[in-house]
Amino acid sequence: MSAGPVRTQVDGEWVDVDTTLEFTDAGVQPVALTGELTFSSGGTQAMARLSDAKSATLRLDWDGPLPVPVLESNTATYRDVLPNVDLVLTATRVGFEQHVVVKQRPDSKTLAALRELHFPIAANGADVVESADGGLTLERGETVVGTAIAPVMWDARTISESDEPAALREVGLELVDSTKRGTDATLVLTPDQSLLTASDTVYPVTIDPTQALGMLGATFVQSSIVNTPQGGSTELRAGTYDGGYTVARSLLRFEVSAVKNRVVQSAKLALFETYAPSCSPRWVDIRDADDFDPNTVTWYSKPDIYGIVANAHAAAGYSSACPARWVDFNMTDWVQYYADSRSQTGNVMPLAITAPEPEDDSYSWKKFASDNSATNVPRLEFTYDGACDQYFGNRVCGAIRDKYASSGGPYGSLGLPTTSEACPPGGCYNHFEGGSIYWSPSTGAHVVTGDIRDKWAYQGWETGRLGFPTTDQICPPGGCYNHFQGGSIYWSPSTGAQIVRGAIRDKWGSQGWESGRLGFPTTDDVCPPGGCYNHFQGGSIYWSPSSGAHVVRGAIRDKWMELGAEAGPLGFPTTDDVCPPGGCYNHFAGGSVYWSPATGAHDVQGAIRTAWGGLGWEAGWLGFPTSDTLRTAGGARSEFQGGNIVFEERTGLTTVGAGALKHPTQFQRGSSPLAWCVTATA
């Protein structure tokens, strides 16, 4: 809203202007700025106070108390000043800008509050006046101290062919009598209710995204005034009035840091033409130029001037038939060029105003109001897609942009985008130097990086079995993970990135995830015939449709693996590992494996298991098994701490005896561990 230089004095020393916001005793202020700019730190403190470092001060209030803002770089966000409506204030080198962001479709109460937005104003040493173009000017006597152009509002939709807003609406602006003690007037904004209520409106809706860029200086040079700077002149001149003997060119400088990385939808340079030698229109060109000092530049020291970036065909100020008026130059392409990081342009845009070459048409002579004029100073305005930013030509939009910003933007771990936003069926994504952000309506926007991202990519990204991410990458002690719609990927330095899904994931979660007894997964989910499994640092989880998901660990797992795991006689586990006093066990579809420190791990199957279970399992007088189920000439036998059980296949009988078999018969003598399932019963 006010002009400002690139450097300023702080405590007597010249420093670069730094618009980064910080909390101070006075409120929220930029680190270094010419003049004074203070945002509210919350409560009833004025929303914004702006001074030109001379005698003019403007105070703008919110109609009610404000929450404590969230600061990020040069932006202060006041969350939910109305339900699901944020107030966003941004410090610039030349003042500040404000946005009211309606984050989602408002309910009836919020909609009523948005019919009119009231901003009480107090101006000391200057007057706030409505301008003819629907904006505001801050005037101190004959000098224009600051400007604010007419506000607009728009939603998230854009026209693909032109990349311009699909729904752009004017916002009503009016200055009315003061409604608050200590203020001079009230600024009333009237948002377009039809945009807020239309069924096809895509939120968020941003109110007043259009800005005025502050001038850093303007002057003219003239071939007949070769050594005298004209930086203090109230007019700008271009062309010739004597067939080319006398030639004038005007020079402008604009601070354009606010356009950096924006997706510029439209831009214009507005010059107020005060004189032409006739009402016959002539072309006037806006050209790229080298930088200059408006206070010292002369015809002899004038900067080099390059190609045409905009032009207009006009004649104004000659008579009542063509009175003085604004002349607009379409600067969209040129401002977009400055916005694009690939252009490597600075934060200052120097421009020249010239007559068409060879500058010898006497009717091309024109005069315009300069930045020193009492009114109608030059303005460079732009409107941008508030839902998108762009970096080196790659667009980052909406929720992905918000997530990117909260992750540090281009200076964070993600670095610069390597693709523009792409939106396949179901959602959208951007890839970055350090990872990716994926978004869908049901999951929101989430960051995926590193080995987890690589594993997910190998599975088919969002179109694979895992779907979209439902969390950011989270890194507890020891590793990292992302949850997805169809499962999770966990990573640690020693295990790599592994997929865990479905009932196995649920079981693992019930065990404490990676911080529980199983630790990180060491394999993806593997699905042989009949079921699936994952191995973990501390054990395994096996699942089948009939048995569910169960934990198998330690020596019990080792014994089960020795017998062929789920493909062996025992089949899938039907219980987790259970540890009563003295040892542990797992039951399986075809038997059990029991373990104790004294006996080790041994399987028990078939009729022997049935008989042993009938005697109280390990808590009965037989105790824990001391051998596997062994094949004999005519059946099987197992030994226990307190005795033995022999199964005769011919008769289907089991014999239980106390103590060890000192001299087993040929029938009782085991030949090898049982590698088949005994199904007979006693």
Side-chain angles (χ1 to χ4, degrees):
M1 295 180 68
S2 66
V6 176
R7 293 175 63 82
T8 187
Q9 277 192 315
V10 176
D11 297 329
E13 294 186 7
W14 286 99
V15 298
D16 290 338
V17 171
D18 185 352
T19 59
T20 302
L21 295 175
E22 58 183 6
F23 287 98
T24 69
D25 291 339
V28 174
Q29 295 180 311
V31 172
L33 196 70
T34 297
E36 176 191 345
L37 176 63
T38 304
F39 293 156
S40 174
S41 58
T44 58
Q45 183 182 8
M47 182 184 80
R49 185 178 185 275
L50 179 67
S51 170
D52 68 350
K54 295 179 181 179
S55 59
T57 300
L58 175 68
R59 191 184 88 220
L60 197 62
D61 289 349
W62 178 259
D63 194 15
L66 289 169
V68 176
V70 176
L71 305 186
E72 182 177 347
S73 185
N74 64 333
T75 297
T77 301
Y78 300 82
R79 305 286 190 197
D80 296 318
V81 292
L82 297 171
N84 293 308
V85 177
D86 291 348
L87 172 66
V88 181
L89 302 181
T90 302
T92 69
R93 291 175 180 268
V94 295
F96 74 96
E97 61 191 51
Q98 67 184 71
H99 295 165
V100 177
V101 181
V102 186
K103 295 181 287 187
Q104 64 185 51
R105 190 172 298 279
D107 58 23
S108 58
K109 184 177 179 180
T110 303
L111 189 63
L114 290 170
R115 286 195 178 95
E116 287 187 349
L117 296 173
H118 289 215
F119 299 89
I121 296 177
N124 295 319
D127 297 316
V128 180
V129 180
E130 288 186 59
S131 59
D133 62 357
L136 295 176
T137 60
L138 185 64
E139 300 176 356
R140 183 178 63 237
E142 297 298 315
T143 302
V144 175
V145 179
T147 63
I149 64 175
V152 293
M153 63 188 290
W154 50 279
D155 72 354
R157 291 171 293 171
T158 58
I159 301 170
S160 59
E161 292 82 0
S162 64
D163 200 33
E164 296 190 45
L168 186 67
R169 302 286 188 274
E170 293 183 357
V171 175
L173 181 150
E174 183 181 12
L175 278 178
V176 301
D177 292 339
S178 173
T179 58
K180 183 178 180 179
R181 179 177 295 180
T183 61
D184 302 319
T186 296
L187 172 64
V188 180
L189 297 182
T190 309
D192 189 318
Q193 294 288 295
S194 65
L195 181 60
L196 294 171
T197 58
S199 61
D200 58 349
T201 294
V202 179
Y203 282 82
V205 170
T206 303
I207 300 172
D208 194 18
T210 305
Q211 311 176 43
L213 300 176
M215 283 204 63
L216 296 179
T219 187
F220 70 88
V221 294
Q222 190 166 306
S223 61
S224 60
I225 313 174
V226 294
N227 292 315
T228 304
Q230 299 297 311
S233 175
T234 60
E235 67 181 21
L236 301 174
R237 302 174 183 176
T240 181
Y241 54 83
D242 55 9
Y245 181 78
T246 302
V247 175
R249 300 169 184 170
S250 289
L251 303 170
L252 309 172
R253 298 178 82 236
F254 286 94
E255 157 63 51
V256 292
S257 60
V259 310
K260 296 301 181 180
N261 299 322
R262 299 294 192 185
V263 178
V264 176
Q265 296 176 321
S266 63
K268 72 175 182 180
L269 171 64
L271 299 176
F272 194 81
E273 186 173 351
T274 60
Y275 177 78
S278 75
C279 286
S280 177
R282 290 294 190 273
W283 287 101
V284 59
D285 297 333
I286 307 298
R287 293 176 174 266
D288 182 23
D290 283 340
D291 205 1
F292 61 93
D293 183 345
N295 298 310
T296 62
V297 67
T298 66
W299 181 260
Y300 280 160
S301 64
K302 63 185 179 292
D304 288 338
I305 295 174
Y306 305 104
I308 298 171
V309 298
N311 54 28
H313 197 229
Y318 175 69
S319 68
S320 59
C322 54
R325 65 175 178 86
W326 287 101
V327 178
D328 292 339
F329 299 82
N330 185 348
M331 298 285 289
T332 302
D333 290 344
W334 193 241
V335 173
Q336 180 62 69
Y337 174 78
Y338 265 75
D340 193 330
S341 302
R342 292 173 295 184
S343 305
Q344 297 185 329
T345 55
N347 291 327
V348 174
M349 179 188 291
L351 298 170
I353 308 171
T354 72
E357 293 179 341
E359 300 176 284
D360 60 359
D361 180 1
S362 297
Y363 286 97
S364 69
W365 180 252
K366 293 180 181 294
K367 294 182 180 181
F368 302 92
S370 80
D371 62 327
N372 295 307
S373 175
T375 59
N376 303 324
V377 297
R379 298 199 309 263
L380 178 60
E381 305 166 1
F382 78 99
T383 301
Y384 63 91
D385 183 348
C388 296
D389 290 336
Q390 61 91 17
Y391 301 87
F392 292 91
N394 292 319
R395 291 168 51 119
V396 186
C397 301
I400 293 178
R401 184 192 68 171
D402 296 342
K403 175 63 70 174
Y404 180 50
S406 70
S407 300
Y411 305 106
S413 60
L414 289 172
L416 289 167
T418 57
T419 68
S420 282
E421 181 183 69
C423 293
C428 299
Y429 68 86
N430 278 85
H431 294 318
F432 299 85
E433 292 173 316
S436 300
I437 300 177
Y438 273 71
W439 168 90
S440 77
S442 61
T443 61
H446 297 292
V447 177
V448 191
T449 68
D451 288 350
I452 292 177
R453 175 181 176 270
D454 295 342
K455 172 68 74 168
W456 181 48
Y458 185 75
Q459 299 296 311
W461 301 99
E462 80 287 351
T463 62
R465 58 180 181 157
L466 290 175
F468 282 90
T470 58
T471 68
D472 292 336
Q473 185 163 303
I474 300 171
C475 294
C480 298
Y481 67 87
N482 278 84
H483 294 320
F484 298 84
Q485 290 173 309
S488 301
I489 300 177
Y490 275 72
W491 170 90
S492 77
S494 61
T495 62
Q498 310 295 345
I499 297 169
V500 191
R501 300 187 309 130
I504 293 177
R505 176 179 175 272
D506 296 341
K507 171 62 71 173
W508 181 48
S510 73
Q511 302 294 307
W513 303 100
E514 79 288 346
S515 62
R517 58 181 183 157
L518 291 175
F520 281 88
T522 58
T523 69
D524 291 337
D525 58 327
V526 180
C527 293
C532 299
Y533 68 86
N534 277 85
H535 295 320
F536 298 83
Q537 290 171 310
S540 301
I541 299 176
Y542 276 72
W543 167 90
S544 76
S546 60
S547 63
H550 296 291
V551 177
V552 190
R553 301 188 308 130
I556 293 176
R557 186 184 75 159
D558 295 342
K559 174 58 68 174
W560 180 52
M561 292 289 184
E562 179 187 318
L563 295 171
E566 82 286 349
L570 292 179
F572 282 90
T574 58
T575 69
D576 293 338
D577 58 326
V578 181
C579 294
C584 298
Y585 67 86
N586 275 85
H587 293 321
F588 297 86
S592 301
V593 177
Y594 273 72
W595 169 90
S596 76
T599 62
H602 299 288
D603 69 283
V604 189
Q605 300 182 40
I608 294 176
R609 176 178 178 274
T610 302
W612 180 50
L615 294 172
W617 304 99
E618 81 289 346
W621 62 271
L622 285 173
F624 281 88
T626 58
S627 75
D628 293 335
T629 302
L630 303 173
R631 296 182 63 180
T632 65
R637 70 178 173 87
S638 291
E639 294 185 4
F640 298 84
Q641 290 172 309
N644 59 82
I645 300 177
V646 177
F647 168 72
E648 184 181 355
E649 190 175 35
R650 179 178 60 82
T651 63
L653 298 176
T654 55
T655 303
V656 180
L661 285 170
K662 301 291 187 183
H663 304 287
T665 66
Q666 181 181 0
F667 170 75
Q668 296 168 329
R669 188 177 296 118
S671 59
S672 65
L674 188 65
W676 40 269
C677 181
V678 178
T679 58
T681 59

